[in-house]
Amino acid sequence: SRAEQSRAEQSRAEQSRLDCVDFLKGIAILAVIAVHTAQSFTLPLAIDNIAKMGQLGCQLFFVISGFTVANSYCKKEQGCVSFYMKRWKSIAPGYYLMIVVYWGFDLARKLIGHNQNIQFWKGALVNALFLNGISPTYNNNIVPGGWFIGTTAIFYLLCPVLIKILKTGYRAVSCIIPAISSLTCFIIGCMYPAWGKNGSFFYYSFVVQMPSIILGIVLYFDWKNEVVMKKRKAIIYLFVFALLSVVLFYCDLNGAFMLIPICSGGFFCVLFSLLLHFKGTRFVNMLGKKSYGMFLTHMFFAHQLAAALNRLGMKIGVDQTVLFLITLTIAVLGSYGVSSVLNTTKKKMLVSKW
């Protein structure tokens, strides 16, 4: 029947979208692991510059998060309490485990006489409550990459309000909010250069990263309302956003980095729209499915293992680029393996509980 045929087509479209999401998540986590691994090596300028751009994988994650969370919230029409519980369950268990693991590392360092300048237990509490997104002291020094989780938690908190605003008049508002937010942050970055730098607390804040998230939500509404951008127009936008992102990333202008989220977010949003019906590749899709766990665990390989291999490589005369590629491969496969084990353990615990 026509109804069954329509449902089948809708199911195929949904599966295609999920494949696309997994593929883009896989690309994002590969980029993030690459930039963190490269920090331990002295690489040729071209390779080093490409690796550094990997940090824009976080903006890709934000665009994807805006899209998928908006889809989940609008599709199921769930209440705020149910929505918040589901979001908490999606990020809390893995993050809490990493807090405990790094607390253990902190205690081990203290036992061998390497004291830190922070009180870890206070930072652990701040991070466990997901308040590190508003805490300059404990924003990113308890769990490496924790700033991303703190900013994501703020997005989850504000998500119902953002979706409601964008749902009522998303076309107009979607242009106004990111533009005003980015321009304001740019002005602040110009006035206070320390705030406008890459890696500053202000750069990591939700206020600066918000444009990428909003663009992801807008993309969802476009997809839902079957608004399709012409391919030629999309390619032009893709080129313009890519050029702006690269220029802003490498220029020395104060506050320039505050414009990265809206420009790179725009690039990834257009790329997302072009790939909505792309099924991806099996390997990258597999990484995408485990991307959250890989994000939490890859630092063990990208920093600790990379530093150890670098010291060993320098002793035996191995080329830095070769060492980087070896370490990157180990970091990707290692974090995927650890993430898979943790995910399986979590599922078994839930099954035994119920």
Side-chain angles (χ1 to χ4, degrees):
S1 66
R2 289 184 177 180
E4 291 177 348
Q5 185 178 359
S6 177
R7 282 195 294 270
E9 289 177 357
Q10 185 176 0
S11 177
R12 284 194 296 270
E14 183 72 8
Q15 183 59 46
S16 176
R17 183 193 64 77
L18 292 174
D19 289 338
C20 167
V21 168
D22 288 336
F23 177 76
L24 289 173
K25 282 183 177 180
I27 295 297
I29 194 60
L30 283 172
V32 170
I33 295 176
V35 65
H36 289 147
T37 304
Q39 290 170 355
S40 297
F41 300 96
T42 304
L43 299 171
L45 185 61
I47 297 176
D48 189 53
N49 285 337
I50 293 172
K52 284 179 180 178
M53 293 290 291
Q55 78 171 75
L56 301 185
C58 290
Q59 277 71 51
L60 177 52
F61 272 128
F62 282 135
V63 169
I64 296 169
S65 185
F67 183 97
T68 55
V69 173
N71 180 42
S72 175
Y73 184 81
C74 296
K75 186 177 178 181
K76 297 183 179 180
E77 296 182 350
Q78 55 195 316
C80 286
V81 175
S82 175
F83 170 78
Y84 288 142
M85 283 302 299
K86 185 177 180 180
R87 294 298 105 198
W88 182 86
K89 289 178 181 178
S90 71
I91 62 173
Y95 195 54
Y96 288 170
L97 176 61
M98 287 300 103
I99 291 175
V100 172
V101 169
Y102 279 102
W103 200 334
F105 284 168
D106 179 70
L107 292 174
R109 281 193 293 266
K110 287 180 179 177
L111 288 175
I112 61 176
H114 294 168
N115 291 323
Q116 288 184 300
N117 294 324
I118 63 170
Q119 291 182 297
F120 197 96
W121 70 270
K122 287 184 179 180
L125 179 61
V126 170
N127 277 255
L129 295 174
F130 299 106
L131 297 175
N132 55 310
I134 57 174
S135 170
T137 305
Y138 301 112
N139 178 246
N140 198 43
N141 55 4
I142 300 300
V143 176
W147 74 268
F148 179 84
I149 309 300
T151 299
T152 299
I154 295 174
F155 161 53
Y156 289 163
L157 180 65
L158 299 178
C159 182
V161 176
L162 286 174
I163 290 176
K164 187 174 182 180
I165 293 172
L166 295 172
K167 194 174 183 180
T168 55
Y170 74 94
R171 264 298 165 198
V173 177
S174 65
C175 296
I176 295 172
I177 294 179
I180 293 177
S181 173
S182 297
L183 182 59
T184 303
C185 293
F186 171 69
I187 293 172
I188 293 173
C190 290
M191 294 173 63
Y192 304 96
W195 288 30
K197 291 182 179 179
N198 178 21
S200 67
F201 169 71
F202 187 56
Y203 174 71
Y204 287 154
S205 70
F206 175 77
V207 176
V208 174
Q209 302 297 330
M210 180 175 60
S212 295
I213 296 170
I214 289 179
L215 289 173
I217 297 174
V218 172
L219 178 62
Y220 162 73
F221 285 121
D222 277 352
W223 172 74
K224 182 181 178 183
N225 296 325
E226 299 182 352
V227 177
V228 180
M229 185 184 298
K230 291 182 179 180
K231 188 167 289 187
R232 184 177 178 181
K233 187 178 180 180
I235 292 173
I236 293 173
Y237 278 134
L238 206 63
F239 175 77
V240 171
F241 281 128
L243 182 62
L244 286 172
S245 297
V246 172
V247 170
L248 290 169
F249 194 91
Y250 289 108
C251 78
D252 293 327
L253 179 66
N254 288 339
F257 238 81
M258 302 300 100
L259 300 176
I260 287 287
I262 192 170
C263 292
S264 61
F267 171 82
F268 290 127
C269 199
V270 177
L271 180 65
F272 198 162
S273 68
L274 289 172
L275 296 178
L276 275 174
H277 300 293
F278 178 60
K279 292 185 178 181
T281 64
R282 184 177 179 183
F283 175 70
V284 178
N285 288 3
M286 285 171 56
L287 298 182
K289 287 182 171 67
K290 299 290 189 295
S291 58
Y292 179 63
M294 292 177 69
F295 182 86
L296 291 176
T297 59
H298 78 276
M299 286 294 193
F300 294 114
F301 304 95
H303 280 178
Q304 278 75 23
L305 178 64
L309 288 178
N310 192 17
R311 288 193 295 269
L312 177 62
M314 291 179 69
K315 287 181 180 180
I316 61 178
V318 180
D319 182 74
Q320 288 279 292
T321 303
V322 174
L323 276 175
F324 164 67
L325 293 175
I326 292 172
T327 309
L328 178 61
T329 302
I330 295 173
V332 170
L333 298 179
S335 59
Y336 177 83
V338 174
S339 178
S340 299
V341 171
L342 293 177
N343 192 51
T344 302
T345 304
K346 178 184 174 182
K347 287 181 178 179
K348 287 182 178 180
M349 290 175 65
L350 290 174
V351 170
S352 62
K353 181 179 179 180
W354 296 105

